[in-house]
Amino acid sequence: MSPAGCPHVNGFKVDNWKQNLRVIYQCFVWSGSAETRKRKAKSCICHMCGAHLNRLHSCLSCVFFGCFTKKHIHEHAKNKRHNLAIDLLYGGIYCFVCQDYIYDKDMEQIAKEEQRKAWKLQGRFFPLFNPSVGPSGVGEKYSTWEPTKRELELLRHNPKRRKITTNCTIGLRGLINLGNTCFMNCIVQALTHTPLLRDFFLSDRHKCEMQSNSCLVCEMSQLFQEFYSGHRSPHIPFRLLHLVWTHARHLAGYEQQDAHEFLIAALDVLHRHCKGDDNGKKANNPNNCNCIIDQIFTGGLQSDVTCQVCHGVSTTIDPFWDISLDLPGSSTPFWPLSPGGDGSTLNGESHLSGATTLTDCLRRFTRPEHLGSSAKIKCSGCHSYQESTKQLTMKKLPIVACFHLKRFEHSAKLRRKIPTYVSFPLELDMTPFMASSKESRMNGQYQQSVDVFNNDNKYSLFAVVNHQGTLESGHYTTFIRQHKDQWFKCDDAVITKASIKDVLDSEGYLLFYHKQFLEYE
């Protein structure tokens, strides 16, 4: 909308428009009393298709309810030339001429007043005091934000605003290598470009219960401020390194360390140090912790052990921060899963070249595995030790899925790096590897069902950590995504523009994917 607002509301603002608008909000939007809720449930259906859902809107010029999704309200507006309609779930007003939801100060004031009345009728408090209730029904956790007097004063005294444009480089900053610390720098780059983690720290959400000079979360918060300050000179992360050495002593010293090991250690220390942020609440993840680390990175891995005699299934669910995947070329037998040269694709990965794909690795990770006679498990159904099969699947997916390609092999016989190229996609669908999809698996091969509308398990790539060199002597770099489609290579203090081809052609050691759609609880 333009700053002047929508010019088409003037046609509605005649006679008793305020009272008419109040009645619509009272009866069909906020519905504070039991009587109005019953009336809304009975009468609010699309007058063209009879549906209750599909984003119902009410015409502001006459008595007509229509679907927004199926464009029945659009047809009504076009035929009757009634330009304004109101969303019956959230109360927003839509202009069909402007083709956008509009803001009008007078209408907004009426909406807020009727919203408050409805909450009082329901025995609720205004969200300024209780942000856990919402306007459109029990249990919805959102509320409108209004600046306080102090915040308004701060905004007036600090009129300069930082604009984020498509070619903006704010958030890009190099890190000085303090002596074989590229393993730390590459992980810091990935974490500082994790969207929800960035939003958490830049909104000053951490409440420290430790001494700030020993809290890794406080240091990460400061690090985010440094990254998004707009400074272009490389940052020197000496305090972060000192705290890592203090809290993860196995990483202390100037020897080259494993970036994956550092990631897990960093998440563990951050998880322990930000427990005070969760106010003791249980969360909907296997760690039962509401700290920001577990909210973003924790998923649930389901393990099903099936007895080969009685076919009884024993199920356990364990939390995970990352998924480690075996590669071809390792001493662990790798099941060849690629369909071959038939040109078939899954998750956008082509098998024409015969290269191993990330999907292949995930298929192998989630295939049934026969445990053998040397690993018999006592079956609760047979009450005796029997042979069994074990299968891993994803019970709950994290917001950020980190895949660790096991390139470093350490065994009694050899220590080496596995350089096998693994093709990975920009977009990844995890549906085939969910526990709910297990029934669709036959003989270890997933029969993919086509559901283009199911976006719950779809991810987008946003960071890739690579390792160049050998096991004894190597170097870590990171590709990170800036905005929607710009990629940059972070090589300690040096940051250069990269192409999508550069990213997808890279060897890949740690792959970071972010959920495309988030469910708010």
Side-chain angles (χ1 to χ4, degrees):
M1 288 302 305
S2 66
C6 173
H8 309 104
V9 296
N10 294 328
F12 173 74
K13 290 183 175 181
V14 292
D15 299 330
N16 295 322
W17 73 270
K18 289 186 178 180
Q19 185 57 36
N20 294 338
L21 188 62
R22 287 185 188 280
V23 169
I24 293 173
Y25 275 115
Q26 289 169 6
C27 297
F28 305 123
V29 182
W30 307 135
S31 305
S33 67
E35 182 185 343
T36 55
R37 285 197 293 275
K38 286 180 182 177
R39 186 188 303 151
K40 178 176 179 178
K42 289 180 179 179
S43 61
C44 289
I45 59 173
C46 177
H47 286 184
M48 294 183 76
C49 69
H52 283 273
L53 301 174
N54 295 327
R55 291 178 61 194
L56 274 182
H57 283 57
S58 171
C59 177
L60 285 184
S61 302
C62 69
V63 181
F64 181 88
F65 300 135
C67 299
F68 195 92
T69 306
K70 295 182 178 180
K71 298 194 179 296
H72 292 153
I73 190 69
H74 297 71
E75 292 177 31
H76 171 80
K78 184 179 179 181
N79 294 334
K80 300 289 186 179
R81 296 188 179 180
H82 293 169
N83 297 331
L84 301 177
I86 185 168
D87 183 340
L88 296 185
L89 184 60
Y90 298 109
I93 294 175
Y94 189 87
C95 175
F96 292 95
V97 181
C98 299
Q99 296 183 5
D100 199 359
Y101 288 94
I102 63 170
Y103 173 85
D104 180 84
K105 189 176 181 181
D106 297 331
M107 290 180 166
E108 187 73 12
Q109 185 60 35
I110 291 171
K112 287 181 179 178
E113 289 172 4
E114 295 305 324
Q115 194 179 45
R116 290 189 183 98
K117 290 178 185 176
W119 279 332
K120 285 181 181 178
L121 286 172
Q122 294 173 31
R124 298 182 179 188
F125 298 100
F126 187 58
L128 181 64
F129 308 105
N130 186 359
S132 65
V133 297
S136 60
V138 177
E140 291 199 18
K141 297 184 179 181
Y142 75 92
S143 61
T144 54
W145 172 81
E146 292 184 13
T148 62
K149 288 183 178 180
R150 171 172 161 71
E151 287 169 336
L152 286 171
E153 198 64 30
L154 285 170
L155 290 169
R156 288 192 196 100
H157 281 88
N158 298 274
K160 190 176 178 181
R161 301 287 178 265
R162 191 177 294 284
K163 292 183 179 179
I164 306 296
T165 57
T166 53
N167 59 351
C168 177
T169 57
I170 292 174
L172 292 173
R173 195 166 183 187
L175 291 164
I176 296 293
N177 192 318
L178 301 173
N180 285 329
T181 57
C182 58
F183 72 93
M184 177 181 76
N185 291 349
C186 69
I187 298 301
V188 169
Q189 292 288 358
L191 293 179
T192 51
H193 288 89
T194 301
L196 289 184
L197 204 59
R198 174 198 64 204
D199 295 346
F200 175 85
F201 283 114
L202 292 184
S203 57
D204 199 22
R205 297 278 300 279
H206 173 55
K207 301 177 182 65
C208 188
E209 294 185 354
M210 302 175 58
Q211 292 182 350
S212 59
N213 59 357
S214 64
C215 177
L216 187 64
V217 189
C218 288
E219 179 55 31
M220 282 298 293
S221 181
Q222 183 60 38
L223 196 67
F224 272 87
Q225 301 292 335
E226 290 288 346
F227 261 72
Y228 290 90
S229 65
H231 295 307
R232 293 178 175 270
S233 59
H235 179 66
I236 308 172
F238 65 95
R239 282 177 47 80
L240 178 68
L241 182 64
H242 171 71
L243 284 173
V244 169
W245 285 359
T246 302
H247 297 291
R249 295 192 177 276
H250 63 289
L251 296 175
Y254 287 101
E255 296 82 14
Q256 179 64 274
Q257 303 287 350
D258 181 18
H260 173 248
E261 191 176 357
F262 175 81
L263 170 67
I264 299 304
L267 292 179
D268 179 59
V269 177
L270 287 169
H271 158 73
R272 286 189 276 118
H273 286 193
C274 68
K275 275 191 172 180
D277 296 331
D278 65 3
N279 300 318
K281 295 176 183 176
K282 290 292 180 76
N284 186 22
N285 66 58
N287 265 354
N288 286 326
C289 175
N290 205 38
C291 77
I292 189 62
I293 299 303
D294 282 304
Q295 285 185 49
I296 296 174
F297 293 96
T298 297
L301 190 65
Q302 179 169 316
S303 173
D304 294 319
V305 177
T306 306
C307 174
Q308 294 298 283
V309 176
C310 69
H311 301 290
V313 180
S314 173
T315 299
T316 56
I317 298 172
D318 296 307
F320 69 86
W321 279 332
D322 72 314
I323 300 166
S324 294
L325 302 171
D326 288 315
L327 301 180
S330 67
S331 57
T332 305
F334 194 89
W335 187 25
L337 294 164
S338 294
D342 59 357
S344 62
T345 60
L346 179 62
N347 274 321
E349 299 165 322
S350 174
H351 292 280
L352 280 171
S353 63
T356 302
T357 68
L358 178 62
T359 302
D360 289 341
C361 297
L362 285 166
R363 278 174 168 171
R364 185 192 186 282
F365 182 78
T366 56
R367 68 171 181 173
E369 178 187 2
H370 188 69
L371 297 180
S373 57
S374 60
K376 289 183 177 180
I377 294 175
K378 188 171 184 178
C379 174
S380 57
C382 301
H383 302 291
S384 60
Y385 286 90
Q386 303 290 352
E387 290 191 24
S388 57
T389 60
K390 179 180 178 181
Q391 185 172 11
L392 299 174
T393 50
M394 309 294 161
K395 179 64 176 177
K396 180 176 176 58
L397 291 171
I399 292 175
V400 169
C402 175
F403 300 105
H404 165 228
L405 304 183
K406 295 161 74 172
R407 296 201 174 277
F408 304 129
E409 190 169 39
H410 303 273
S411 64
K413 294 182 179 180
L414 74 163
R415 295 176 71 252
R416 63 185 181 125
K417 179 184 175 183
I418 302 167
T420 306
Y421 172 70
V422 175
S423 169
F424 50 90
L426 285 173
E427 295 188 348
L428 176 68
D429 187 357
M430 288 293 289
T431 303
F433 315 108
M434 296 294 293
S436 56
S437 300
K438 185 181 175 184
E439 295 78 19
S440 300
R441 246 179 269 266
M442 296 176 64
N443 300 322
Q445 296 291 333
Y446 176 74
Q447 295 183 341
Q448 190 181 19
S449 61
V450 179
D451 186 1
V452 295
F453 298 105
N454 182 16
N455 295 312
D456 293 345
N457 306 322
K458 291 184 178 178
Y459 286 78
S460 293
L461 184 71
F462 74 93
V464 178
V465 172
N466 283 289
H467 179 271
Q468 291 89 36
T470 64
L471 191 64
E472 291 74 24
S473 175
H475 181 62
Y476 288 103
T477 59
T478 311
F479 287 109
I480 57 98
R481 191 181 71 183
Q482 177 87 336
H483 305 302
K484 186 179 180 181
D485 54 4
Q486 294 185 76
W487 286 89
F488 291 86
K489 182 179 181 179
C490 304
D491 186 350
D492 287 335
V494 180
I495 295 180
T496 53
K497 191 82 184 285
S499 67
I500 292 176
K501 187 177 185 300
D502 294 333
V503 178
L504 298 182
D505 286 349
S506 66
E507 194 175 76
Y509 178 50
L510 298 173
L511 311 175
F512 292 84
Y513 285 86
H514 198 287
K515 258 194 175 183
Q516 293 181 359
F517 296 89
L518 302 182
E519 307 88 17
Y520 289 90
E521 296 165 356

